Amino acid sequence: MEREVRVRFAPSPTGALHIGGVRTALYNYLLARKTGGKMILRIEDTDQNRFVPGAEDYIRRSLEWCGIELDESPWNGGPYAPYRQSERKPMYMQYALQLVNDGHAYYAFDTAEELEAMRERLKAAKVATPQYNAITRATMRNSLTMPEDEVKKLLESGAPYVIRLKVPRKEEIRLKDMIRGWVMVHSSSIDDKVLMKSDGMPTYHLANIVDDHLMKITHVIRGEEWLPSAPLHVLLYRYLGWEDTMPEFAHLPLLLKPDGNGKLSKRDGDKLGFPVFPLHWQDPFTGEISSGYREAGYLPDAFVNFLAFLGWNPGTQQEIFSMQELANEFTVERIGKSGTRFDIQKARWFNEQYLRAKPDSELAGYLLTALEEHNIDCTHEKAAKVAGLMKERVSFPQDFWKEAAYFFVAPEEYNEKVASKKWNAQSVAVFEQFKNELPTIADFNADSVKELLTTILERNGMKIGQVMQALRLAVTGAEAGPDLMQIIEIIGREETIARIETAIAKLSQYATAE
């Protein structure tokens, strides 16, 4: 009988959740939903020195915004609670002691000065990577080199110690990664990692393995930066007798800078003008503010769709996927091995597609919010018409007001370049007739307005191309935009007449005969 798929996202509350962390959470979630399994969130806060107030709540709010639903977490509980490692502290020591008793770990009493002296000796001996390992442990103060009675006395006296893993000196450790295939590491390259710190807290390595086992985790999907630790984790599963239920591993490729040179960082986002966090974040210590995708105007569905494609692809030409469609199509095997360049223009493209797919009545909400802030009254019907006309020209919800303000506020300035090239006496003559005859239209709409303009142009021996840009300038103040006749229909007869009259008066210096 196959085990139920149980995956976990296990962030540390040390600051804002990076976009790479959100991608890790998303891939875990998609696998859980694809297989009908469970998505668990565990807070890994064993390093109390790095704890940042507000970070845990930020993680919760970020995942909620993305639509990543948690089956078990510190906030909604579950059968394997608690889900914060700091609250699980009492349970880890028994497993560390089990490893000591079975000869797979040992007590180390070295002081900070002794450890530094060891590193200096190794540096002097031209050792490339000085570390506490199968060779150097023989020269240090630990339960492998000290008499048993001395070790016992130190433990009973409360002397500070750590518990280190006893890594074998000559052994090849193999791990099958779902993305990379077989990974082989020689034990000589692994140091004797600390499992329990002197403050009684476990390190990431021990707590991670114990919690994954006790929570029955079946798949560990995490960032590439954890790949060097994976062989160590394989040893821990073996030494604790859990090798048969060890989860499958998948180490995700890095998110790279836009130029492909190195891992994407917050600094890159600041420098190039895009967010690297899902939500706005204010550092509680420095007050520094970092922008978020939500506040920049990205829709959560678009953000998730974009994120899914940073390393994974469905193997087809389809790019727009709902969360459910992503879950249906997702397989770990279709995640690439190499790093993925971050492309903010692609994120913007996804946002545009999602905005355009929304009904005009929903898009009207974005515009109405901005109009309210500017104390402008507008019906929902009119806002929906404007939104429908403008949605092919916007990338973010806030663009509706920026791009469509002229529907509600008459222009006070005019594009000088257009005025100097297109505004002339012939155009003005047409506009005078146009505004004077607009009241004669019985059924005022885009078609009837265009029909009147065409009639007047024919009467004056002119073509529509000769006046269209100048008329747009008079009505909107802008150089370009959506269909001008539809704009006129929406702003209405009286407003159109008033704007043409204002433009004729203000642009008189350009109205010279050709």
Side-chain angles (χ1 to χ4, degrees):
M1 184 175 160
E2 282 193 17
R3 290 194 291 169
E4 176 190 47
V5 169
R6 290 177 58 81
V7 298
R8 69 359 177 229
F9 177 53
S12 297
T14 55
L17 181 61
H18 187 275
I19 189 174
V22 184
R23 183 189 66 166
T24 298
L26 175 63
Y27 285 175
N28 275 280
Y29 177 71
L30 293 177
L31 180 63
R33 291 297 174 264
K34 164 100 177 188
T35 57
K38 293 287 190 292
M39 171 73 177
I40 294 102
L41 183 129
R42 186 173 70 228
I43 294 292
E44 303 211 332
D45 56 351
T46 54
D47 191 345
Q48 293 293 297
N49 295 324
R50 297 180 63 218
F51 176 79
V52 173
E56 184 181 307
D57 187 58
Y58 180 89
I59 293 166
R60 178 186 61 77
R61 289 186 294 110
S62 296
L63 298 182
E64 279 180 2
W65 180 68
C66 291
I68 295 174
E69 300 163 330
L70 305 171
D71 298 303
E72 300 167 29
S73 74
W75 313 298
N76 56 10
Y80 300 96
Y83 291 89
R84 289 184 190 89
Q85 284 186 337
S86 57
E87 296 171 9
R88 300 169 66 84
K89 179 180 173 181
M91 70 177 68
Y92 299 114
M93 182 58 87
Q94 63 178 303
Y95 297 104
L97 294 177
Q98 178 187 326
L99 290 167
V100 172
N101 294 335
D102 291 346
H104 297 306
Y106 57 93
Y107 300 105
F109 302 95
D110 314 283
T111 65
E113 291 76 20
E114 287 168 335
L115 290 169
E116 183 57 33
M118 179 264 286
R119 282 189 284 268
E120 290 302 322
R121 283 198 307 274
L122 293 173
K123 281 181 188 174
K126 300 288 190 283
V127 174
T129 52
Q131 55 187 13
Y132 204 122
N133 58 20
I135 297 171
T136 55
R137 72 167 82 112
T139 65
M140 305 302 289
R141 292 179 66 245
N142 55 59
S143 57
L144 300 176
T145 61
M146 297 163 65
E148 192 177 332
D149 59 338
E150 190 179 343
V151 171
K152 189 178 178 185
K153 278 182 191 174
L154 285 170
L155 292 173
E156 288 172 351
S157 70
Y161 68 87
V162 299
I163 294 179
R164 288 181 178 272
L165 182 67
K166 186 182 175 186
V167 177
R169 185 171 176 181
K170 292 180 180 178
E171 188 175 316
E172 192 168 74
I173 303 161
R174 290 160 56 85
L175 162 77
K176 189 168 186 184
D177 187 275
M178 294 175 74
I179 297 171
R180 297 155 197 281
W182 284 102
V183 176
M184 281 162 279
V185 176
H186 200 276
S187 63
S188 60
S189 65
I190 304 173
D191 61 326
D192 288 2
K193 287 274 189 268
V194 172
L195 301 178
M196 292 294 294
K197 296 179 280 189
S198 56
D199 63 1
M201 285 293 278
T203 59
Y204 166 82
H205 302 291
L206 179 66
N208 181 275
I209 296 320
V210 169
D211 287 343
D212 281 351
H213 174 73
L214 295 180
M215 292 181 181
K216 295 184 164 47
I217 300 303
T218 59
H219 296 76
V220 171
I221 303 174
R222 59 189 179 185
E224 184 182 277
E225 63 271 22
W226 292 110
L227 190 57
S229 301
L232 177 78
H233 298 168
V234 170
L235 286 179
L236 281 168
Y237 276 107
R238 184 187 307 165
Y239 293 160
L240 287 164
W242 302 335
E243 201 167 14
D244 288 347
T245 56
M246 183 172 73
E248 292 188 68
F249 290 95
H251 290 88
L252 304 175
L254 292 175
L255 284 187
L256 303 176
K257 301 172 192 279
D259 64 7
N261 294 319
K263 186 179 176 181
L264 180 72
S265 70
K266 177 183 173 297
R267 197 177 297 110
D268 298 315
D270 292 341
K271 184 179 170 185
L272 299 170
F274 58 80
V276 294
F277 300 138
L279 313 180
H280 162 104
W281 166 256
Q282 183 167 11
D283 189 298
F285 302 122
T286 67
E288 182 187 2
I289 293 173
S290 301
S291 63
Y293 279 86
R294 181 180 66 183
E295 291 73 19
Y298 286 86
L299 305 178
D301 291 351
F303 176 71
V304 163
N305 198 157
F306 164 66
L307 210 53
F309 274 73
L310 290 177
W312 171 86
N313 76 81
T316 65
Q317 296 301 308
Q318 183 180 342
E319 290 187 279
I320 303 299
F321 285 83
S322 67
M323 185 73 92
Q324 186 57 55
E325 288 170 330
L326 285 170
N328 292 343
E329 293 296 322
F330 183 78
T331 61
V332 174
E333 289 72 22
R334 292 212 63 85
I335 297 172
K337 296 178 187 177
S338 54
T340 305
R341 288 189 189 202
F342 187 83
D343 181 0
I344 194 63
Q345 294 308 319
K346 193 67 178 179
R348 189 182 181 116
W349 179 85
F350 273 108
N351 215 53
E352 290 165 353
Q353 306 314 305
Y354 274 82
L355 275 174
R356 289 167 192 173
K358 285 183 178 294
D360 297 348
S361 57
E362 188 178 337
L363 296 174
Y366 299 129
L367 191 51
L368 287 168
T369 300
L371 290 168
E372 196 176 315
E373 289 169 4
H374 289 84
N375 297 313
I376 296 172
D377 289 329
C378 176
T379 65
H380 190 278
E381 184 185 7
K382 180 178 177 180
K385 281 183 180 177
V386 173
L389 207 51
M390 298 303 294
K391 66 182 177 182
E392 295 291 329
R393 297 174 172 271
V394 300
S395 300
F396 304 104
Q398 62 269 29
D399 292 346
F400 279 103
W401 167 249
K402 289 179 193 169
E403 298 295 327
Y406 56 71
F407 281 91
F408 309 95
V409 181
E412 293 182 2
E413 294 179 349
Y414 301 90
N415 185 301
E416 199 174 317
K417 190 173 92 177
V418 177
S420 63
K421 285 186 177 179
K422 300 293 182 180
W423 197 267
N424 53 53
Q426 287 85 350
S427 296
V428 171
V430 168
F431 300 157
E432 287 279 7
Q433 296 167 57
F434 182 58
K435 74 178 177 65
N436 290 337
E437 294 178 39
L438 275 176
T440 66
I441 297 177
D443 183 13
F444 188 85
N445 58 50
D447 291 338
S448 59
V449 168
K450 186 172 184 179
E451 189 179 335
L452 173 64
L453 180 61
T454 305
T455 300
I456 293 169
L457 286 167
E458 286 173 357
R459 188 194 306 156
N460 287 268
M462 295 175 71
K463 292 183 179 176
I464 201 161
Q466 291 175 265
V467 300
M468 197 56 115
Q469 237 181 327
L471 183 57
R472 182 182 297 279
L473 186 71
V475 174
T476 70
E479 183 178 3
D483 184 89
L484 182 58
M485 300 302 115
Q486 289 185 290
I487 294 174
I488 290 172
E489 178 186 324
I490 292 170
I491 66 173
R493 190 191 323 250
E494 271 61 28
E495 181 66 16
T496 301
I497 292 169
R499 290 187 185 190
I500 292 172
E501 286 175 344
T502 302
I504 289 171
K506 285 191 172 183
L507 298 172
S508 57
Q509 73 269 32
Y510 298 106
T512 55
E514 284 187 343

